[in-house]
Amino acid sequence: MYKINLQNKTYEFGSLKEVMAKANELKSGDVLAGVAALSAHERIAAKMILSDITLETIYNHPIIPYEEDEVTRLIVDSIDRDTYEKIKRMTVGELRDFILSSRGEAIKEIRGALTAEMISAVTKLMSNMDLVYAASKLVNTAYCNTTIGKAGTLSARLQPNHPTDDVEGVMLSVMEGMSYAVGDAVIGLNPVNDSVENVRRILDAFHDFYTKWDIPTQNCVLAHVTTQLEALKKGAPIDLMFQSLAGSEVSNRAFGIDIDLLDEAYSFMNTHKNSKGPNFMYFETGQGAELSSEGHHGVDQLTMEARCYGLAKRYKPYLVNTVVGFIGPEYLYDGAQVIRAGLEDHFMGKLTGLSMGVDVCYTNHMKADQNDLENLALLLAQANCNYYMGVPGGDDVMLMYQSTSYHDVATLREITGKKPIAEFNTRMEELGILKNGRLTKQAGDYRMFI
C-alpha cells in the first residue's frame, strides 16, 4: 500500500502497478482500460509517490510477473548487474535529476542497468520540454548499409505505399520521394498482399532501383516476419527485416510472434541478409496495441510501450519507430495526447539505446489536425529524432492516415540545419537534387529516374 496526504486529502494506491498507471499523463487508452487517475490531484499524488520509489523496488516488483511473461524475463535477465548495484538505491526522482543534469555519455553509462519499468517511471515525471532536452543529448547510431543517427543528420523512410501493390505505381512514388532526397533511412513499403511472391517482387524492384542509380540506402517490405523469412530463403534481397512488437507475451502472440521466432529471424538474417552491417532489424510499436489485443495485464500503455523497447534492444535494430497516432482516439484522444505520447516514446527509445524514429501521424477520426502533426515534428527535430516517414503528400493512400510528407522532411532539415546520412547526401548532390544539403530547383522532378 502506498499512501500520501495532499491538500488535506489522503490518496491510497494498492500496488506499484496502480501508482505507475495513475502517475501517467492523461491518455484515453488508460481511461478505457480503467487504470487512469480519476483527477489531476490523484495524478499529482501518484507522481509524488513515484518520485520517492527506488529503482530497486521497481526491479524487485515487475509490473507483469516474471513467471508469467517472457518479455519480463528477457528484460530483467538482460540488465547490467554491476551497474545496477551502483544505482539501485537511486529514487525515480533522483534518476530524473541525473538525466537532466548529465551529459549524454554519462547517461549512456547507466542505461544498461535500467529496466523498461524504470524508464517508464522516470518518463512520467518529465514535462514535454524535459523529454525533448533529455532525448537531444542521446546520440544513438546504427549501421546497415549506411550509418543512421549521427549528430547533424535527419533521415527519412521513403514510404511508397500503394492500394494494390502495383509495382509501377510504387516505383513512381519511390522516384518522386528520392527526387526530394527522402529515403536515406530506408525504402520501406507496407504491403497489401503479404504473399512471399509479392514481397520478393517489391524487394527486387527496390534493390534494382538503388543499385542502378548507386544510391546508398536500405530496402524493406513490412510483411510479417514469417513471410520475409520465406522470401529470404528463396533469395530475396532483404536489407532490413521488419516486425511489429508488443510489450507482453500475450500481445506478441496476437501478432503471431514470440521471442523464439524473433531469434530465428535474427539468426537467419545474420547469415543471409543482403546488407553489410551488424544492424539489420526494423521494429514498429505504438501506445495502445496491448489493450487492443487484451494483453495489457492492467498496466498503463506508456509502461507497455517501454517494454516494447526493452524487447527490441535484444536484436540491435537499425530502425525502431513508434507509429504514435495510428490506432486512433481510443488510445490517444487528441493532438495534445499524440504530442505527449510521441515525445515520451522517442525519449524512452533513446534511453533504451535504440536508433529511434517516430511516425508523426494521426488518423482522420481523431481530434487532431495538421498543425498538431507539425508541432510534434518540430519538437522531435529539436530532440534529435533519428528519422521520420516520407509519404506522398503526407496522406497514405493504403493505410489511410496522415503522416509527414517529402516536403515536411525537407523543411525540417532546413529549419534545423541538418542533412541526410552523409553517403546519401553526397549522392543526392551528385544527382543535382541537393546542393550544400538543400534542395535544388531540380528537386521533385521524378523524371530524372526514368
Side-chain angles (χ1 to χ4, degrees):
M1 177 72 72
Y2 297 89
K3 184 185 299 186
I4 191 173
N5 188 274
L6 184 63
Q7 293 187 333
N8 299 317
K9 181 175 180 179
T10 299
Y11 293 88
E12 296 183 354
F13 305 93
S15 65
L16 177 61
K17 181 194 293 188
E18 185 180 1
V19 171
M20 291 276 282
K22 294 189 173 180
N24 199 20
E25 292 297 305
L26 180 62
K27 306 283 174 58
S28 54
D30 290 337
V31 175
L32 183 63
V35 302
L38 299 178
S39 67
H41 283 90
E42 186 179 32
R43 184 172 298 108
I44 292 168
K47 288 177 185 286
M48 292 176 69
I49 289 173
L50 183 59
S51 69
D52 289 331
I53 291 175
T54 66
L55 303 184
E56 184 176 27
T57 297
I58 294 174
Y59 177 81
N60 289 333
H61 298 86
I63 295 297
I64 303 175
Y66 185 93
E67 300 77 14
E68 297 177 13
D69 186 271
E70 67 174 4
V71 178
T72 298
R73 292 192 290 275
L74 184 152
I75 292 170
V76 170
D77 292 347
S78 64
I79 71 162
D80 178 346
R81 296 293 312 183
D82 292 338
T83 305
Y84 168 74
E85 289 298 323
K86 296 175 184 176
I87 68 168
K88 67 181 183 181
R89 292 180 179 82
M90 186 183 286
T91 66
V92 177
E94 289 169 344
L95 176 60
R96 173 187 177 273
D97 292 344
F98 172 80
I99 290 170
L100 294 176
S101 63
S102 300
R103 294 183 180 275
E105 291 308 311
I107 299 169
K108 288 182 179 181
E109 287 178 3
I110 71 160
R111 68 184 178 193
L114 302 176
T115 65
E117 280 86 354
M118 297 174 195
I119 291 172
S120 170
V122 74
T123 302
K124 295 171 190 290
L125 301 185
M126 291 189 166
S127 70
N128 285 8
M129 189 180 292
D130 290 342
L131 295 170
V132 171
Y133 176 60
S136 71
K137 297 190 284 187
L138 297 171
V139 177
N140 298 340
T141 63
Y143 174 54
C144 185
N145 289 327
T146 59
T147 300
I148 195 170
K150 288 185 177 180
T153 64
L154 192 159
S155 299
R157 167 185 157 193
L158 204 171
Q159 183 171 305
N161 293 348
H162 190 279
T164 65
D165 288 344
D166 176 74
V167 172
E168 184 177 359
V170 167
M171 293 313 298
L172 284 172
S173 286
V174 170
M175 293 173 193
E176 184 190 21
M178 200 60 65
S179 74
Y180 283 107
V182 167
D184 56 328
V186 63
I187 304 172
L189 175 129
N190 300 88
V192 176
N193 179 349
D194 197 63
S195 71
V196 172
E197 294 74 19
N198 187 55
V199 167
R200 181 173 183 180
R201 188 167 55 102
I202 296 168
L203 284 166
D204 284 338
F206 290 168
H207 181 261
D208 290 347
F209 173 79
Y210 74 64
T211 300
K212 175 182 177 180
W213 291 97
D214 193 24
I215 297 171
T217 187
Q218 295 71 219
N219 70 6
C220 183
V221 173
L222 285 71
H224 193 271
V225 66
T226 52
T227 306
Q228 293 169 87
L229 270 173
E230 287 304 309
L232 188 61
K233 290 173 183 177
K234 293 185 177 182
I238 299 180
D239 296 327
L240 287 171
M241 181 164 284
F242 168 82
Q243 181 56 46
S244 295
L245 295 183
S248 72
E249 183 176 343
V250 171
S251 291
N252 279 320
R253 279 201 218 106
F255 281 145
I257 62 169
D258 57 21
I259 291 174
D260 284 344
L261 177 58
L262 292 175
D263 285 352
E264 178 189 349
Y266 180 86
S267 177
F268 199 78
M269 268 293 284
N270 193 37
T271 54
H272 293 81
K273 60 187 170 68
N274 185 66
S275 47
K276 305 173 187 174
N279 308 117
F280 46 79
M281 300 297 284
Y282 174 15
F283 299 118
E284 286 189 343
T285 66
Q287 289 192 34
E290 294 81 14
L291 181 57
S292 295
S293 54
E294 299 183 351
H296 64 103
H297 297 267
V299 177
D300 68 274
Q301 64 187 42
L302 178 65
T303 302
M304 294 307 297
E305 180 73 5
R307 289 167 58 90
C308 296
Y309 306 141
L311 172 57
K313 182 180 178 181
R314 176 179 177 85
Y315 303 102
K316 307 176 186 67
Y318 183 72
L319 303 175
V320 177
N321 67 264
T322 168
V323 192
V324 66
F326 184 72
I327 302 180
E330 301 86 354
Y331 307 121
L332 297 171
Y333 177 71
D334 57 15
Q337 291 188 15
V338 169
I339 289 170
R340 174 68 190 187
L343 297 178
E344 290 171 339
D345 295 353
H346 176 253
F347 165 72
M348 292 194 300
K350 279 281 198 78
L351 188 56
T352 304
L354 302 174
S355 167
M356 192 69 193
V358 178
D359 188 343
V360 181
C361 63
Y362 65 95
T363 55
N364 290 312
H365 64 311
M366 295 178 71
K367 192 176 181 181
D369 59 24
Q370 183 69 20
N371 286 329
D372 295 315
L373 184 155
E374 292 179 8
N375 288 343
L376 177 55
L378 284 163
L379 288 168
L380 286 166
Q382 295 302 317
N384 289 329
C385 183
N386 276 16
Y387 71 102
Y388 297 96
M389 303 301 114
V391 176
D395 184 4
D396 194 299
V397 295
M398 193 279 278
L399 293 174
M400 301 300 292
Y401 78 123
Q402 310 304 309
S403 187
T404 42
S405 69
Y406 305 148
H407 301 76
D408 292 334
V409 173
T411 303
L412 289 165
R413 285 171 176 162
E414 288 210 20
I415 289 172
T416 59
K418 296 178 180 179
K419 297 180 180 181
I421 291 170
E423 309 95 290
F424 183 91
N425 184 79
T426 297
R427 183 57 179 145
M428 292 295 105
E429 299 223 357
E430 291 171 353
L431 290 169
I433 295 167
L434 293 177
K435 184 175 182 180
N436 298 322
R438 298 292 170 259
L439 292 177
T440 67
K441 290 183 179 180
Q442 186 174 327
D445 187 354
Y446 70 89
R447 292 172 299 178
M448 71 178 76
F449 294 113
I450 294 178

